[in-house]
């Protein structure tokens, strides 16, 4: 039957004929056979159907999450440590804090290790060297989406022919080196760049404040709930008295290595001398107990394997113990909570020889000796 009104014939699935046009032939290429029914997947991504637009970065992100065991957190450990040190309304760090810059460089290595970008060199003889002197290698040089992490990863990849130790990389990134040939590895303006990254994420805002003779850009807190959530996590972790890790001490469900991240955040904040800001809501005795708990956590995780510490306290811990004895305080040490953290962190490891977590332990050992280094 032919059309006389200028209407085109509607193509339907049916048996083919010898008069099929070239368009009909192209349209029916998805069919099961010449005389069989035609299966079309229009508007889907199935084989033979029309393609659906997608962003390849989404697939890479999904593959990374499945490979690393969870979603990447919204904020990195460096950004969380910086938030703990910032004054909410004034938007700047304490001018007398000399520890935070060095601690932030250690947090960069921890973040890269947890994201499975770097790890220690797998060498049977590495245990002959102290933990901070073991060499680092790059496992995956793909970009992470965080500018500072990507810059550090690029420098490590360029220096892979002459591998450097944990302590060496922290010194180089901090600019603490006498080798003029290595001065180019220094990461400059890390605090300012982290603050600008938090501005882009909507956590901080930028203002100008006058300091006598000059104006300086400050970054007050814009999203108070985000910082309060970080403070709550740290306080909950260091005031828990049971072996079960409280949910309020952890990031969102499904976050990659969220228990290990909680431990690293508390230890890095302690080394950066910003925990005082988080403990403002606690009483004096509770604050001293939380500091002692952080001493214990740092001692257990600043060694490899985790939990193999001899139980020796740091200088700060001994001073606080002396103060508590002098006051006659009998606050429990909370050893059960520390053991609970050890068990949960070991579950997040890829076996007992996880070189990424061994790198984390080496960084924490360097940070535990930060007072003597500075």
């Amino acid at each position: 039957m032919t059309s006389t009104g200028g209407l085109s014939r509607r193509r339907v699935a049916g048996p083919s004929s010898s008069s099929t046009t070239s368009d009909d032939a192209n349209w029916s290429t998805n069919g099961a056979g010449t005389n069989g029914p035609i299966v079309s997947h229009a508007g889907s991504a199935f084989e033979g159907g029309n393609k659906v637009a997608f962003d390849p970065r989404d697939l890479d992100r999904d593959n990374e999450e499945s490979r690393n065991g969870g979603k990447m957190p919204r904020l990195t450990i460096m950004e969380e440590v910086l938030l703990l040190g910032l004054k909410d309304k004034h938007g700047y760090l304490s001018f007398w804090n000399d520890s935070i810059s060095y601690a932030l460089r250690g947090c960069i290595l921890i973040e890269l290790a947890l994201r499975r970008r770097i790890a220690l060199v797998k060498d049977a003889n590495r245990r002959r060297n102290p933990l901070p002197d073991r060499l680092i290698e790059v496992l995956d040089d793909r970009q992470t989406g965080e500018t500072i992490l990507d810059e550090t990863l690029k420098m490590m990849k360029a220096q892979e022919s002459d591998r450097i130790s944990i302590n060496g990389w922290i010194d180089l990134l901090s600019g603490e080196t006498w080798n003029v040939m290595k001065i180019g590895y220094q990461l400059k303006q890390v605090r300012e760049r982290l603050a600008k990254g938090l501005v882009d994420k909507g956590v901080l805002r930028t203002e100008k404040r006058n300091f006598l003779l000059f104006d300086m850009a400050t970054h007050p807190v814009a999203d108070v709930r985000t910082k309060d959530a970080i403070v709550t996590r740290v306080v909950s972790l260091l005031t828990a008295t049971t072996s079960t890790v409280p949910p309020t001490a952890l990031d969102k469900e499904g976050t990659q290595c969220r228990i290990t991240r909680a431990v690293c955040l508390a230890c890095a904040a302690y080394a950066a001398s910003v925990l005082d800001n988080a403990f403002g809501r606690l009483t004096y005795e509770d604050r001293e107990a939380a500091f002692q708990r952080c001493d214990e956590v740092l001692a257990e995780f600043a060694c490899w394997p985790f939990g193999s510490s001899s139980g020796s306290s740091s200088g700060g811990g001994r001073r606080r113990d002396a103060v508590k004895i002098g006051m006659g305080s009998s606050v429990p040490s909370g050893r059960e909570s520390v053991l609970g953290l050890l068990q949960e962190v070991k579950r997040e490891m890829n076996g007992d020889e996880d070189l990424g977590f061994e790198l984390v332990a080496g960084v924490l050992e360097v940070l535990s000796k930060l007072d003597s280094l500075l």
Side-chain angles (χ1 to χ4, degrees):
M1 176 177 174
T2 60
S3 174
T4 59
L7 298 176
S8 60
R9 178 172 59 88
R10 180 183 178 188
R11 300 186 180 99
V12 296
S16 62
S17 63
S18 59
S19 62
T20 304
T21 62
S22 59
D23 290 339
D24 294 337
N26 293 333
W27 172 77
S28 61
T29 53
N30 294 330
T34 305
N35 297 323
I38 299 175
V39 181
S40 177
H41 301 289
S44 67
F46 293 103
E47 183 178 359
N50 297 331
K51 293 182 179 180
V52 177
F54 65 93
D55 190 344
R57 291 174 296 182
D58 293 337
L59 297 181
D60 293 339
R61 190 180 302 112
D62 293 339
N63 293 334
E64 182 176 359
E65 291 174 359
S66 61
R67 182 170 57 252
N68 295 338
K71 297 181 179 179
M72 292 299 109
R74 179 191 176 198
L75 302 182
T76 61
I77 297 176
M78 306 93 68
E79 292 172 334
E80 292 178 339
V81 171
L82 183 74
L83 270 178
L84 289 177
L86 274 179
K87 302 178 184 296
D88 292 2
K89 297 181 179 180
H90 297 87
Y92 57 85
L93 297 165
S94 173
F95 294 113
W96 312 108
N97 191 341
D98 296 329
S99 303
I100 190 169
S101 294
Y102 202 84
L104 288 175
R105 271 68 173 188
C107 293
I108 293 174
L109 298 185
I110 293 176
E111 188 70 40
L112 287 173
L114 293 180
R115 291 174 182 247
R116 301 298 179 180
R117 293 299 198 275
I118 61 175
L120 293 183
V121 177
K122 189 175 183 179
D123 184 6
N125 297 323
R126 71 181 186 277
R127 297 187 182 278
R128 297 180 180 179
N129 299 322
L131 192 54
D133 295 336
R134 298 175 188 178
L135 303 180
I136 298 177
E137 66 175 349
V138 177
L139 300 179
D140 186 357
D141 61 347
R142 291 183 298 112
Q143 292 187 350
T144 63
E146 301 290 341
T147 305
I148 294 181
L149 295 182
D150 293 338
E151 183 179 342
T152 305
L153 197 60
K154 184 178 179 181
M155 290 191 297
M156 288 184 168
K157 187 65 177 179
Q159 190 63 25
E160 200 168 19
S161 59
D162 185 17
R163 293 187 175 119
I164 303 175
S165 65
I166 298 173
N167 204 1
W169 268 118
I170 296 178
D171 286 341
L172 289 179
L173 297 177
S174 304
E176 299 292 334
T177 177
W178 294 101
N179 189 348
V180 294
M181 301 300 294
K182 302 290 186 180
I183 199 64
Y185 291 101
Q186 179 184 4
L187 284 178
K188 299 179 180 179
Q189 298 180 341
V190 171
R191 287 180 287 182
E192 181 65 20
R193 293 164 66 185
L194 287 174
K196 290 182 178 179
L198 289 170
V199 172
D200 294 338
K201 294 180 180 180
V203 181
L204 302 179
R205 65 178 185 272
T206 303
E207 294 180 354
K208 278 191 176 181
R209 184 177 292 271
N210 181 266
F211 290 89
L212 296 179
L213 300 178
F214 58 92
D215 293 334
M216 187 178 75
T218 59
H219 304 283
V221 176
D223 187 358
V224 180
R225 291 179 298 178
T226 298
K227 181 171 182 179
D228 288 343
I230 297 173
V231 172
T232 300
R233 283 161 46 199
V234 174
V235 173
S236 299
L237 184 75
L238 298 178
T239 56
T241 57
T242 61
S243 59
T244 303
V245 182
T248 54
L250 306 176
D251 208 339
K252 295 180 180 179
E253 185 73 27
T255 303
Q256 181 251 3
C257 295
R258 62 178 190 154
I259 298 178
T260 306
R261 288 180 177 277
V263 171
C264 293
L265 172 61
C267 294
Y270 178 54
S273 301
V274 298
L275 275 185
D276 288 326
N277 299 337
F279 293 160
R281 64 180 69 174
L282 300 178
T283 63
Y284 178 79
E285 292 184 355
D286 292 339
R287 184 166 60 251
E288 291 301 315
F291 272 117
Q292 182 184 4
R293 184 77 47 76
C294 197
D295 274 326
E296 296 173 358
V297 171
L298 183 57
E300 296 296 339
F301 285 93
C303 58
W304 188 258
F306 289 143
S308 60
S309 173
S310 60
S312 59
S313 301
S314 62
R318 287 193 294 268
R319 286 194 297 270
R320 277 188 288 275
D321 290 342
V323 172
K324 292 179 65 178
I325 293 174
M327 294 179 59
S329 176
S330 59
V331 179
S333 62
R335 180 65 180 173
E336 293 183 0
S337 64
V338 179
L339 296 178
L341 284 175
L342 284 171
Q343 295 176 358
E344 295 297 330
V345 168
K346 289 180 179 179
R347 292 178 183 176
E348 295 180 342
M349 295 167 49
N350 294 333
D352 295 335
E353 295 295 327
D354 193 324
L355 297 175
F357 277 71
E358 187 175 347
L359 193 156
V360 172
V363 174
L364 293 180
E365 182 174 343
V366 174
L367 295 184
S368 66
K369 302 175 181 178
L370 192 57
D371 289 339
S372 59
L373 293 176
L374 297 177

